[in-house]
């Protein structure tokens, strides 16, 4: 029995030795290493496709959107100057491509001037205008329209490129589609606004101007486009700062949102002031003429009509909104001083406060000097600067995502 057990053990050892020859061992090790390399390659290649979008691409997208918002600022400022120089009705046609080339020869200029002479602004206001004077207002409006096309291309072309490269997640795709669609809508709304100033109004003997409602809609949509672009760009570029979620911080955040909405509403009310030339009605401050509340504040009937069509009421409303914005921003600053906030948030609130006082000073100067074009254009630009700082404050105070 012992010999039988010894024979079986010897036979098993010989089989085991045969199974694990050096060549077989090398073969198994090689196969195992190849499998390990393949597995590691798979784990390495997977994150490469998953890294788009990532922090680097988010910064690229953020810079692109902030650049686009800067171009929107240029369009708004140029549009304001066009309005102040009464140039907006000089181009009586709207063609997406054909009007990109202005008149070149004398005959082309004469033909364009002849078309302008058929509309109310020339017949009532500019009937003594010369061709050189017409060229000035034409180039002002042409520059504004070309800038608008530049804004459109700056949104659409990079959006297509980034989309194809995979820089957008699902949420960002929706935002980008909304922004690009809004740019297209803004162009149509601009032409719809200009069209209101080209219409014959036999029952009216007033100076031809665009509808203040359409002007406000055009400016309001531009401001919304700007705010959305700037906010999205900032949130892509900056990581939210960690702050302890206290009751005071939540109150400050809500107060900042309300203040930003008030600043936006004040800027929008400026469109009604511009549309009705309401800045030329009462050129005194703080009183309007000899009174705090003018006699003709509610001269129109029904009463609601005064807030949109009565120049006195429109200027009064703009004053009230401007001073309310200043008071709200000052309160925001004082409240923030009692809290521990990150350095960037403190700087943003301080700059917002300083800009608010500067903007009010510009507005009063514009009023007292009977709306000179350079100061009025600076005041309009100041409203955008104030709105930009309000958005920056909101971006700094936003919650850290969980």
């Amino acid at each position: 029995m012992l010999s039988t057990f010894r024979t079986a053990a010897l036979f098993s050892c010989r089989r085991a030795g045969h199974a694990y020859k050096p060549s077989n061992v090398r073969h198994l090790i090689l196969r195992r290493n190849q499998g390990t390399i393949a597995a590691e390659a798979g784990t390495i290649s997977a994150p490469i496709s998953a890294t788009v979008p990532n922090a680097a691409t988010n910064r690229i997208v953020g810079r692109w959107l902030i650049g686009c918002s800067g171009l929107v600022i240029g369009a708004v400022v140029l549009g304001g100057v066009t309005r102040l120089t009464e140039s907006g009705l000089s181009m009586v046609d709207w063609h997406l491509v054909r009007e990109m080339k202005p008149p070149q020869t004398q005959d082309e200029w004469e033909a364009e001037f002849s078309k302008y002479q058929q509309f109310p602004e020339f017949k009532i206001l500019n009937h003594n205008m010369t061709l050189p004077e017409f060229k000035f207002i034409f180039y002002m409006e042409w520059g504004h329209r070309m800038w608008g096309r530049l804004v459109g291309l700056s949104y659409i072309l990079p959006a297509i490129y980034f989309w194809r490269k995979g820089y957008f997640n699902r949420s960002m795709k929706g935002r980008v589609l909304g922004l690009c669609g809004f740019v297209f809508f803004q162009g149509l709304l601009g032409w719809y606004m200009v069209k209101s100033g080209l219409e014959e109004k036999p029952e009216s003997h007033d100076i031809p101007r665009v509808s203040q409602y359409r002007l406000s809609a055009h400016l309001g949509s531009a401001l919304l486009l700007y705010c959305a672009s700037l906010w999205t760009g900032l949130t892509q570029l900056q990581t939210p700062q960690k702050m302890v979620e206290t009751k005071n911080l939540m109150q400050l955040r809500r107060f900042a949102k309300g203040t930003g909405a008030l600043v936006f509403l004040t800027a929008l009310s400026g469109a009604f002031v511009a549309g009705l030339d309401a800045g030329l009605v009462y050129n005194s401050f703080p009183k309007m003429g000899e009174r705090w509340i003018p006699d003709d504040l509610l001269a129109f009937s029904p009463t609601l009509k005064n807030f949109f069509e009565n120049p006195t009421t429109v200027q009064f409303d703009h004053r009230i909104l401007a001073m309310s914005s200043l008071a709200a921003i000052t309160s925001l600053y004082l409240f923030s001083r009692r809290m521990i906030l990150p350095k960037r948030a403190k700087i943003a609130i301080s700059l917002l406060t300083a800009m608010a006082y500067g903007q009010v000073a510009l507005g009063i100067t514009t009023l007292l000097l009977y709306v000179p074009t350079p100061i009025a254009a600076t005041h309009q630009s100041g409203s955008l600067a104030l709105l930009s700082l309000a958005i920056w404050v909101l971006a700094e105070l936003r919650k850290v995502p969980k």
Side-chain angles (χ1 to χ4, degrees):
M1 183 176 180
L2 184 59
S3 61
T4 305
F5 177 78
R6 187 181 303 152
T7 304
L10 184 60
F11 181 76
S12 299
C13 290
R14 287 178 179 174
R15 289 192 63 184
H18 177 74
Y20 291 99
K21 290 182 180 179
S23 60
N24 293 339
V25 172
R26 285 196 301 270
H27 179 68
L28 288 173
I29 292 174
L30 181 60
R31 290 184 61 185
R32 183 179 298 173
N33 289 341
Q34 288 175 346
T36 304
I37 292 171
E40 290 177 352
T43 58
I44 293 172
S45 61
I48 290 175
S49 60
T51 55
V52 179
N54 57 21
T57 59
N58 286 344
R59 285 193 295 271
I60 294 173
V61 171
R63 293 190 188 104
W64 162 57
L65 289 174
I66 289 179
C68 287
S69 66
L71 290 175
V72 175
I73 287 181
V76 173
V77 171
L78 190 53
V81 174
T82 301
R83 176 71 188 89
L84 289 168
T85 56
E86 297 182 343
S87 305
L89 300 178
S90 57
M91 295 181 69
V92 298
D93 295 322
W94 191 85
H95 300 285
L96 186 61
V97 178
R98 194 168 68 188
E99 71 179 19
M100 293 180 69
K101 182 181 179 182
Q104 301 294 313
T105 65
Q106 183 69 16
D107 290 340
E108 290 177 350
W109 276 112
E110 292 286 353
E112 195 68 39
F113 191 29
S114 178
K115 287 192 291 185
Y116 173 70
Q117 292 171 349
Q118 300 172 22
F119 288 87
E121 185 174 71
F122 177 82
K123 295 177 182 178
I124 299 175
L125 184 64
N126 294 332
H127 51 273
N128 292 324
M129 176 174 280
T130 63
L131 182 59
E133 292 171 335
F134 170 72
K135 287 182 178 181
F136 172 77
I137 64 171
F138 183 93
Y139 273 124
M140 287 297 300
E141 174 63 9
W142 179 82
H144 180 51
R145 295 193 187 188
M146 293 306 104
W147 192 277
R149 284 163 173 75
L150 175 63
V151 171
L153 292 175
S154 299
Y155 274 94
I156 295 171
L157 294 182
I160 294 173
Y161 174 77
F162 293 146
W163 193 302
R164 291 174 62 89
K165 296 286 287 185
Y167 285 12
F168 303 143
N169 57 24
R170 173 181 283 185
S171 175
M172 184 57 64
K173 285 180 179 179
R175 295 182 191 181
V176 169
L177 283 176
L179 291 174
C180 292
F182 216 75
V183 171
F184 182 72
F185 170 75
Q186 175 71 359
L188 293 178
L189 193 56
W191 171 242
Y192 182 64
M193 175 193 70
V194 170
K195 190 177 178 182
S196 67
L198 300 175
E199 297 171 350
E200 295 280 355
K201 300 174 183 177
E203 73 283 356
S204 175
H205 300 285
D206 197 5
I207 295 173
R209 55 167 64 96
V210 299
S211 165
Q212 69 271 24
Y213 297 102
R214 300 186 190 184
L215 176 62
S216 299
H218 186 52
L219 176 62
S221 62
L223 293 179
L224 284 174
L225 176 65
Y226 171 69
C227 291
S229 301
L230 182 60
W231 170 263
T232 308
L234 287 175
T235 54
Q236 291 292 107
L237 275 176
Q238 296 179 348
T239 56
Q241 302 188 69
K242 294 182 179 180
M243 295 175 283
V244 180
E245 288 292 327
T246 62
K247 183 179 179 181
N248 284 342
L249 178 60
M250 290 188 288
Q251 290 177 345
L252 180 67
R253 191 178 286 130
R254 286 195 294 268
F255 193 16
K257 290 178 181 178
T259 301
L262 188 57
V263 170
F264 182 90
L265 186 60
T266 305
L268 189 60
S269 72
F272 283 93
V273 175
L276 293 171
D277 289 327
L280 300 173
V281 179
Y282 286 96
N283 298 93
S284 57
F285 189 87
K287 293 183 178 181
M288 297 181 71
E290 299 298 324
R291 295 176 177 271
W292 290 101
I293 300 178
D295 294 333
D296 56 341
L297 187 66
L298 300 176
F300 292 9
S301 182
T303 303
L304 184 62
K305 191 177 182 181
N306 289 278
F307 295 93
F308 305 103
E309 299 184 18
N310 185 343
T312 298
T313 312
V314 166
Q315 189 193 120
F316 181 81
D317 291 344
H318 190 60
R319 290 185 182 211
I320 296 300
L321 286 170
M323 299 312 296
S324 299
S325 297
L326 181 65
I329 292 171
T330 303
S331 301
L332 181 72
Y333 173 79
L334 294 176
F335 187 33
S336 69
R337 294 298 98 180
R338 297 159 46 191
M339 302 174 56
I340 299 176
L341 295 174
K343 184 178 180 180
R344 276 202 329 238
K346 288 185 176 182
I347 292 174
I349 295 173
S350 299
L351 289 177
L352 175 67
T353 307
M355 187 65 221
Y357 282 89
Q359 176 68 354
V360 169
L362 272 173
I364 295 172
T365 303
T366 303
L367 192 67
L368 296 179
L369 297 180
Y370 290 85
V371 197
T373 298
I375 299 178
T378 305
H379 180 57
Q380 290 181 351
S381 304
S383 66
L384 288 169
L386 193 64
L387 188 59
S388 305
L389 290 170
I391 294 172
W392 184 25
V393 170
L394 291 174
E396 293 296 340
L397 296 179
R398 73 186 191 276
K399 290 183 179 181
V400 178
K402 295 181 180 180

